[in-house]
């Protein structure tokens, strides 16, 4: 990835809930590259305080992944960043209901 001065934090949120779950969202604007052709590096995570992943979307390694409590979703196909954001928040709502 390019030097830090070319990276902008778009969102950096952490929230803990009374039920023992935690939300961590970090979205960075990065220079377009082969690894990050969309110019966005993201990690959208919802899990337990104890470290169990309930749902996570990320492209930290340059590959779009969807993580579930059972591991990486091998059938996941990246639908675009806006759709990932929407899907992530919908899934959190389902977990919290």
């Amino acid at each position: 990835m390019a030097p830090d001065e070319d990276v902008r934090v778009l969102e950096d949120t952490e929230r803990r809930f009374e039920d023992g779950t935690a939300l961590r969202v970090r979205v960075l604007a990065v220079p377009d590259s082969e690894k990050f052709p969309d110019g966005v590096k993201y990690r959208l995570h919802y899990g337990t305080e104890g470290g169990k992943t309930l749902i996570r979307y990320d492209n930290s390694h340059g590959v779009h992944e969807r993580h579930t409590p059972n591991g990486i979703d091998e059938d996941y196909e990246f639908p675009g960043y806006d759709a990932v954001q929407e899907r992530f928040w919908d899934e959190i709502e389902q977990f919290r209901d």
Side-chain angles (χ1 to χ4, degrees):
M1 193 163 64
D4 287 344
E5 62 268 8
D6 293 339
V7 175
R8 285 182 304 118
V9 176
L10 300 177
E11 186 171 356
D12 193 6
T13 302
E14 187 168 327
R15 183 169 176 201
R16 299 184 188 296
F17 299 97
E18 290 181 14
D19 66 359
T21 58
L23 170 73
R24 292 179 197 90
V25 173
R26 183 155 174 90
V27 182
L28 305 174
V30 299
D32 292 359
S33 66
E34 189 173 313
K35 190 172 182 180
F36 300 106
D38 300 321
V40 177
K41 181 177 179 181
Y42 62 90
R43 183 182 66 241
L44 314 172
H45 176 87
Y46 180 69
T48 67
E49 294 264 1
K52 180 179 179 183
T53 296
L54 298 174
I55 192 69
R56 182 172 78 233
Y57 290 88
D58 72 75
N59 69 340
S60 298
H61 306 290
V63 177
H64 299 281
E65 296 177 326
R66 178 178 182 265
H67 300 255
T68 70
N70 299 321
I72 295 177
D73 178 354
E74 298 294 340
D75 296 324
Y76 175 67
E77 292 185 26
F78 178 65
Y81 180 69
D82 291 338
V84 166
Q85 276 270 5
E86 186 175 323
R87 185 173 174 181
F88 175 71
W89 294 109
D90 287 347
E91 287 178 301
I92 287 177
E93 195 172 298
Q94 291 172 7
F95 275 109
R96 297 204 44 82
D97 282 344

